[in-house]
Amino acid sequence: MSPTTRTERWIQGSTHKMHLQSAGVNRVNSARVTKGKTKTAEKKRGSLWSLPIISTLFAQKADQKTEVDLDGDTVMKEELSETSSEDNDHTLVNDDMNEQLDFTDRFFDYNDPRVKEWSFDEVWMFNKLSRRVLEPLLSENWQWDFESYPDSLFTKHEKLVFINNLNTSITDATNELGALVQAGPRCRDALLLKQHPEPPLKKGIERYKKWSIRDGRLSRKPYIDLIAVATAKPGETVRSVRARVTDKLYSLGTAWRSKFRQPDCDEDDVQQAYTHEPPTLYGFIIKYSIVGIVSYDARMPNKPVRTLETLNFQLDGSDVWQALAISIVCVKARDKLMQLDQEGHIGEEIPDDSDPDA
């Protein structure tokens, strides 16, 4: 039996189970913006952002985790990281959804020994991805473009907005986010047509990543990337794809350490070896309908690549929340590069040779 056939059978058996675990779905349904719409219209557009994924984010315990077996004998969570299962255990997050949640903390135990070796940005990203369904991320100015999304996703307080546009128009930013949301339906269409599901996901991620760089006015600057993307080739295993994204992250980490390294200093001494702390890097691993989000602390060459989140785009009804996870990573990387640029670590803009006035 081929890996693709095994994967399809696994997803057919697990999707129904995950949809049955619908704790919190009714609560989110009540927050939909549905005025002036018929029930048919509500049902049609609701498939993009309804939340069967909520229970899998917060109500899973160690013996109840939903793991993605992509090749019959491999598990996504284990393949994406060489760290132990405890290292990436989602029980770090409190699973009580009935309590009032604080946007800035969300019951995350920062003193947990399992995150002791994580960088600050790794912990921050793990926490941000976990609570993305519970806090506002978008400006209320965007609500006209996403009227079917819940009110709780928008805020008038700019300090609470994370996914934003800085140097491009609102129309450009919302169009790019909307295109990223559509990666899920295109992935499922490919499966229905017996085509490879990875290309639509890769195209959606690469397009949004490119927009984030353009929005940060970094397109013509000699920056070192903070994000690596690896897409499975036909018949390629998760282990092989993970190895490729790990190699890319290690290469980027080496470049960042070389950029900031003090001459004649011991590389193991992080405080003395660098003029600036090397940043945390992120990676997207695309295999079948699954996107894995991983991180790498570039301060030390021997740090492991850790799994932060896995997104299953074959689940109809989770497209918005999957897209928001990808957007969070890209926006975080954009903000970090802009910070380094303002500090003078990126370099001058490269003139466009096609510009006659350059």
Side-chain angles (χ1 to χ4, degrees):
M1 184 183 297
S2 68
T4 300
T5 302
R6 283 194 292 264
T7 305
E8 290 175 344
R9 289 189 177 182
W10 175 86
I11 292 178
Q12 289 173 0
S14 64
T15 302
H16 178 64
K17 180 179 178 182
M18 293 183 73
H19 277 278
L20 291 178
Q21 299 172 345
S22 55
V25 172
N26 291 336
R27 184 184 309 172
V28 176
N29 285 346
S30 64
R32 291 185 180 180
V33 182
T34 58
K35 293 182 179 180
K37 300 289 184 179
T38 64
K39 291 184 178 180
T40 302
E42 291 174 11
K43 183 177 180 180
K44 180 177 180 181
R45 64 191 179 165
S47 63
L48 289 175
W49 62 268
S50 56
L51 291 179
I53 196 174
I54 281 188
S55 61
T56 64
L57 287 175
F58 311 114
Q60 293 173 349
K61 296 183 180 179
D63 59 344
Q64 298 175 330
K65 290 180 182 177
T66 302
E67 297 181 329
V68 181
D69 187 354
L70 293 174
D71 295 305
D73 57 350
T74 56
V75 178
M76 185 72 165
K77 190 175 185 62
E78 294 175 357
E79 290 290 351
L80 289 180
S81 177
E82 293 179 350
T83 56
S84 67
S85 59
E86 291 183 354
D87 197 29
N88 295 309
D89 191 351
H90 282 262
T91 57
L92 289 169
V93 183
N94 191 301
D95 61 359
D96 186 357
M97 293 193 60
N98 295 321
E99 296 188 44
Q100 201 65 263
L101 299 178
D102 184 349
F103 291 154
T104 60
D105 194 1
R106 216 192 136 269
F107 302 124
F108 190 92
D109 185 3
Y110 288 91
N111 296 318
D112 193 294
R114 289 171 290 183
V115 298
K116 183 178 180 181
E117 300 298 323
W118 292 29
S119 70
F120 175 83
D121 283 344
E122 284 179 306
V123 175
W124 182 94
M125 183 61 72
F126 179 90
N127 195 19
K128 191 72 172 180
L129 293 174
S130 297
R131 70 176 191 252
R132 69 186 183 277
V133 299
L134 300 172
E135 67 176 14
L137 291 170
L138 308 176
S139 169
E140 65 175 2
N141 295 330
W142 291 24
Q143 196 160 8
W144 288 106
D145 297 276
F146 303 112
E147 62 177 359
S148 66
Y149 295 6
D151 287 335
S152 59
L153 192 57
F154 303 90
T155 179
K156 64 181 179 181
H157 303 290
E158 290 302 317
K159 290 184 178 180
L160 295 179
V161 174
F162 183 73
I163 299 174
N164 58 357
N165 60 299
L166 299 178
N167 297 299
T168 59
S169 66
I170 292 179
T171 300
D172 194 14
T174 55
N175 285 344
E176 294 301 325
L177 182 58
L180 184 59
V181 170
Q182 290 300 319
R186 291 193 175 97
C187 170
R188 294 191 293 276
D189 288 346
L191 289 173
L192 289 174
L193 296 172
K194 306 299 181 181
Q195 298 175 352
H196 294 292
E198 293 93 348
L201 298 178
K202 178 184 178 181
K203 182 177 180 181
I205 292 173
E206 293 283 9
R207 174 177 171 174
Y208 194 82
K209 177 175 173 285
K210 185 176 180 180
W211 167 81
S212 69
I213 294 298
R214 188 170 72 251
D215 188 64
R217 290 183 177 173
L218 297 162
S219 300
R220 296 184 181 179
K221 294 195 174 184
Y223 66 91
I224 302 172
D225 216 336
L226 296 180
I227 297 176
V229 182
T231 306
K233 302 173 184 177
E236 187 177 12
T237 64
V238 179
R239 186 182 299 276
S240 175
V241 189
R242 179 194 173 280
R244 287 199 289 115
V245 83
T246 298
D247 289 343
K248 289 182 179 182
L249 290 173
Y250 283 174
S251 296
L252 291 174
T254 299
W256 280 109
R257 288 192 298 273
S258 298
K259 182 179 182 63
F260 292 134
R261 182 177 292 116
Q262 293 271 24
D264 303 324
C265 285
D266 184 5
E267 189 179 63
D268 293 333
D269 188 352
V270 178
Q271 299 298 325
Q272 300 296 326
Y274 304 111
T275 59
H276 189 286
E277 184 177 272
T280 296
L281 309 179
Y282 305 99
F284 293 110
I285 300 176
I286 307 172
K287 166 66 175 175
Y288 199 69
S289 61
I290 309 295
V291 174
I293 300 176
V294 298
S295 65
Y296 170 55
D297 181 2
R299 293 177 298 177
M300 299 288 286
N302 58 346
K303 288 283 187 177
V305 172
R306 296 187 171 91
T307 305
L308 301 180
E309 183 67 284
T310 55
L311 312 172
N312 187 354
F313 282 84
Q314 195 169 2
L315 293 179
D316 185 15
S318 302
D319 297 313
V320 168
W321 309 108
Q322 318 287 43
L324 289 176
I326 295 170
S327 176
I328 287 170
V329 175
C330 292
V331 170
K332 178 67 172 177
R334 176 203 67 185
D335 292 347
K336 184 63 176 179
L337 285 174
M338 291 184 66
Q339 175 190 338
L340 292 171
D341 186 30
Q342 292 172 359
E343 294 172 356
H345 298 300
I346 298 297
E348 296 297 326
E349 185 172 302
I350 301 173
D352 187 355
D353 294 337
S354 63
D355 185 357
D357 297 327

